[in-house]
Amino acid sequence: MCDIQDISPAGSTEPDVAHNFSPLVIIYKDGRAERLVGNEIVPTSVDPESNVLSKDVVYSQEENLSSRLFLPNNINPNKKLPLLIYYHGGGFCVETPFSPTYHSYVNMLVAESQTIAISVDYRRTPEHPIPILYDDSWTAIKWAAFHVNGDGPEEWLNSHADFNRVFFAGDSAGANIAHHMAMRYSEEKLFGVNLVGNILMNPFFWGEESIGNEVNEQVMTREQIKKIWHLASPTTSGCDDPLINPIMDPKLLNLGGTKVLVIVAEKDFLRDRGWLYYEALKNNGWGGRVEIMEVKEEGHVFHLSNPACENAVAMLRKIVSFIHEE
């Protein structure tokens, strides 16, 4: 997710534009969505720098949905790797696992963490409103679970995935999805799948009432976030819907997994929501361990646009440590 601008309909020169959420997406009155970012596709490869392998696999034949798998090369064939299931961001409406941004980032994450990763492609809003993308994301987890006994359709998972060490992760809207997958896991536990932890980077959470520094944000920014949410979930009850405001979920303390890492950025307009989520888990009786990292002087999902900068490297180190610490 990034800064957005709704300049329509009054500010639009095109009469058929319903909403202009530049630089993410333009929605036309006939329902078409013109996505402005995240449309380029990077082919799978053996990455020359990290030596990570990647390939695409279909996880839902019915909906023709794929995921991109990432596997470190030259690994010990007798040693299983933690399984990382990753959900990309993009305001629920743009980007894919196959774009240069996410291919590059998950590739680097896998290289550094020595995990096997499933980067999930889910159907996007507004053509496929919430909860469709949550259902797709859960279908991908169930597909992964077919490999628990080593006889699933994908050999990489059969041979290399340690289903006793499973992590969900995502950034922005993808972090929102990762949270809800951990909630669903607590209700629909999958045989042989042990969710250890959840990694939420700049999570896209919100609420009706402003908190913390949100009161200093421009009214336009707050309204933009609301509009993106209502675009994604047209039947929502509002910004206190537990799907966007997990603090309002009476089942929050049932969250699956044994530990959570929340990463916020000091200059991110969603910063205080990440802190509120952390405090709710820490102080209200959730049984696991929750950690938070605040990255100074950075904005929303800065690590995707500048992954080599000092703060992004420190953030990556923290994620790797979180995955491997006992």
Side-chain angles (χ1 to χ4, degrees):
M1 190 177 158
C2 56
D3 292 339
I4 54 177
Q5 182 180 12
D6 186 357
I7 59 174
S8 62
S12 174
T13 58
E14 300 181 66
D16 59 342
V17 171
H19 298 287
N20 188 337
F21 291 117
S22 298
L24 289 180
V25 63
I26 298 173
I27 309 300
Y28 294 93
K29 291 180 179 177
D30 64 3
R32 287 184 300 119
E34 180 184 355
R35 292 179 171 85
L36 307 177
V37 294
N39 298 314
E40 186 180 349
I41 294 176
V42 174
T44 58
S45 63
V46 179
D47 185 75
E49 293 186 12
S50 66
N51 210 25
V52 169
L53 310 168
S54 59
K55 67 176 172 179
D56 295 335
V57 294
V58 175
Y59 73 83
S60 173
Q61 295 282 353
E62 183 180 5
E63 303 297 344
N64 193 28
L65 292 170
S66 298
S67 292
R68 180 156 289 187
L69 270 59
F70 295 83
L71 178 70
N73 206 353
N74 301 324
I75 56 177
N76 183 342
N78 299 315
K79 184 178 179 180
K80 300 273 187 167
L81 303 176
L83 173 61
L84 179 69
I85 302 179
Y86 193 93
Y87 299 99
H88 69 82
F92 303 110
C93 59
V94 298
E95 285 289 357
T96 72
F98 321 116
S99 75
T101 295
Y102 284 99
H103 176 86
S104 175
Y105 186 72
V106 178
N107 186 88
M108 181 173 62
L109 182 55
V110 164
E112 293 298 320
S113 64
Q114 288 295 287
T115 57
I116 180 171
I118 302 172
S119 187
V120 178
D121 188 30
Y122 51 82
R123 286 175 288 177
R124 298 166 298 181
T125 65
E127 301 96 329
H128 304 285
I130 285 173
I132 290 173
L133 58 85
Y134 295 129
D135 293 337
D136 290 345
S137 299
W138 184 247
T139 297
I141 295 172
K142 290 194 295 183
W143 173 83
F146 291 148
H147 301 81
V148 164
N149 293 324
D151 56 1
E154 173 47 52
E155 189 52 38
W156 281 9
L157 294 176
N158 290 333
S159 299
H160 303 294
D162 183 351
F163 285 91
N164 284 314
R165 293 185 292 164
V166 176
F167 293 83
F168 300 159
D171 64 276
S172 194
N176 175 295
I177 296 171
H179 160 76
H180 287 294
M181 294 306 96
M183 293 298 300
R184 197 155 176 175
Y185 172 87
S186 71
E187 296 180 352
E188 305 179 36
K189 288 197 188 303
L190 300 170
F191 173 78
V193 176
N194 178 43
L195 175 63
V196 176
N198 220 14
I199 303 165
L200 309 185
M201 311 173 208
N202 305 159
F204 182 19
F205 299 143
W206 201 242
E208 291 290 348
E209 298 297 326
S210 297
I211 62 170
N213 200 50
E214 291 171 6
V215 297
N216 299 319
E217 290 283 355
Q218 294 183 0
V219 173
M220 180 182 296
T221 300
R222 298 198 300 268
E223 289 302 312
Q224 287 168 349
I225 295 171
K226 288 183 179 179
K227 287 179 180 179
I228 278 287
W229 172 243
H230 281 270
L231 175 71
S233 184
T235 60
T236 185
S237 59
C239 287
D240 277 341
D241 184 332
L243 294 178
I244 191 66
N245 188 356
I247 307 306
M248 303 301 290
D249 189 346
K251 298 181 179 179
L252 176 61
L253 300 185
N254 295 335
L255 182 74
T258 60
K259 58 182 182 177
V260 171
L261 173 62
V262 182
I263 301 176
V264 299
E266 182 182 20
K267 295 183 178 181
D268 183 9
F269 49 89
L270 298 177
R271 168 191 176 273
D272 293 317
R273 296 292 165 175
W275 271 102
L276 185 63
Y277 179 83
Y278 160 78
E279 290 163 357
L281 292 179
K282 182 180 180 181
N283 300 325
N284 293 342
W286 182 60
R289 185 176 87 247
V290 57
E291 304 176 37
I292 192 163
M293 176 185 189
E294 179 167 325
V295 184
K296 302 300 182 183
E297 298 297 322
E298 300 289 1
H300 192 62
V301 296
F302 75 95
H303 61 287
L304 296 177
S305 58
N306 195 7
C309 74
E310 183 178 350
N311 282 337
V313 171
M315 176 177 155
L316 182 59
R317 264 194 238 109
K318 177 62 179 176
I319 293 170
V320 171
S321 172
F322 177 80
I323 290 172
H324 288 287
E325 68 190 3
E326 294 299 329

